[in-house]
Amino acid sequence: SKKHSMLRSAALCAALASAAAFAPMGPVGLPKTQSTAARASLTSLQMGKTIYEKKDIIKGVRSDLENAQLIFQTDMKGLNIKQLNRLRAGLPEGTKAICIKNRLLKRAIKDSEWAPAAESSVNNNNMWIIIDSDIKGTFEHFNAWQKKEKKEVGVISGVIEGKLYDTNDMLAIGKLPSKQDLYGQIAGAVQAVPAKLAGTIKEIPQKTARAIRLAVLPDA
């Protein structure tokens, strides 16, 4: 019956909204092919989460931020699920992309080093990339993904060590050597020291002997 069909559709939308809330990418919205009515229906269900579901979301975000070194923001407006999945699939281990409503984000980052992010989060199309370790690798993948998907809006802003940075600053930070690169450079330098030191020590007797000969026999 028509009533039964409406109830079934409502239950399906509720299930989709609930599943999206706990997916790694969070509520990402529906593809462009979905109707405006379908998107509005899903959005309204997400906004109607119970206080217990909201607390779980906030708890999850706080947990994700515990070991984070940096977070940055982008706009997911106009993207479909396939595009978002391609972004997520290429992120380095320890990096996560989440979508969370502003009011929940502000509660999650309140009184933490990530609190400045609230200044930049002004609409509900925000997606935040949380990076635990591989900052350079994350930016390289994100920039390549943005170019491939022809996405106009890239990195908007980001937070590191309790300070909010703009687009240019974030892109500059993303080009810095990774920990692995620095460790490799340090290891190479340490290995080179003994060889150089040994060569220097070996030359000392020869230089000393030559200096003595020149002092004793200056015309030699």
Side-chain angles (χ1 to χ4, degrees):
S1 65
K2 184 175 181 181
K3 183 178 180 180
H4 179 74
S5 178
M6 292 176 63
L7 290 173
R8 184 177 179 183
S9 297
L12 178 59
C13 287
L16 286 171
S18 178
F22 295 96
M25 286 288 292
V28 296
L30 295 175
K32 290 182 179 179
T33 53
Q34 295 289 340
S35 67
T36 302
R39 290 197 298 270
S41 175
L42 182 55
T43 302
S44 64
L45 284 167
Q46 290 169 354
M47 294 181 68
K49 290 184 182 302
T50 68
I51 188 171
Y52 300 105
E53 290 173 324
K54 291 176 182 178
K55 285 182 177 179
D56 284 340
I57 293 172
I58 293 170
K59 184 179 179 181
V61 173
R62 286 176 178 168
S63 177
D64 290 336
L65 292 172
E66 281 182 1
N67 299 315
Q69 291 189 39
L70 178 152
I71 64 174
F72 70 83
Q73 171 195 13
T74 187
D75 191 335
M76 68 175 194
K77 185 178 180 181
L79 296 175
N80 58 48
I81 291 176
K82 287 184 178 180
Q83 290 174 308
L84 293 170
N85 284 342
R86 283 194 287 270
L87 169 64
R88 180 174 54 186
L91 291 173
E93 184 177 355
T95 297
K96 181 179 289 187
I98 66 168
C99 300
I100 180 173
K101 292 192 177 296
N102 291 337
R103 64 180 183 278
L104 296 183
L105 174 67
K106 290 176 181 178
R107 288 170 60 183
I109 62 179
K110 185 179 179 181
D111 298 327
S112 74
E113 65 176 301
W114 309 109
E119 301 173 28
S120 178
S121 188
V122 295
N123 61 60
N124 283 322
N125 292 317
N126 297 323
M127 176 165 60
W128 290 91
I129 312 298
I130 302 175
I131 309 173
D132 281 358
S133 56
D134 193 352
I135 295 175
K136 185 178 180 181
T138 299
F139 274 89
E140 286 179 346
H141 169 65
F142 179 85
N143 292 335
W145 170 83
Q146 180 191 355
K147 184 177 180 180
K148 184 176 181 180
E149 302 296 342
K150 299 179 180 179
K151 184 177 182 294
E152 292 184 8
V153 180
V155 177
I156 296 175
S157 64
V159 177
I160 184 170
E161 296 183 348
K163 186 175 180 180
L164 181 68
Y165 292 90
D166 63 17
T167 301
N168 292 333
D169 289 336
M170 278 288 102
L171 292 176
I173 291 171
K175 294 178 181 178
L176 295 175
S178 65
K179 281 186 177 181
Q180 290 79 5
D181 293 338
L182 291 174
Y183 289 155
Q185 292 173 12
I186 293 170
V190 170
Q191 290 175 357
V193 167
K196 291 181 179 179
L197 184 60
T200 302
I201 294 173
K202 187 177 180 180
E203 291 177 2
I204 289 176
Q206 297 175 355
K207 290 182 178 180
T208 302
R210 184 169 181 272
I212 292 173
R213 285 199 304 272
L214 290 174
V216 177
L217 302 170
D219 298 328

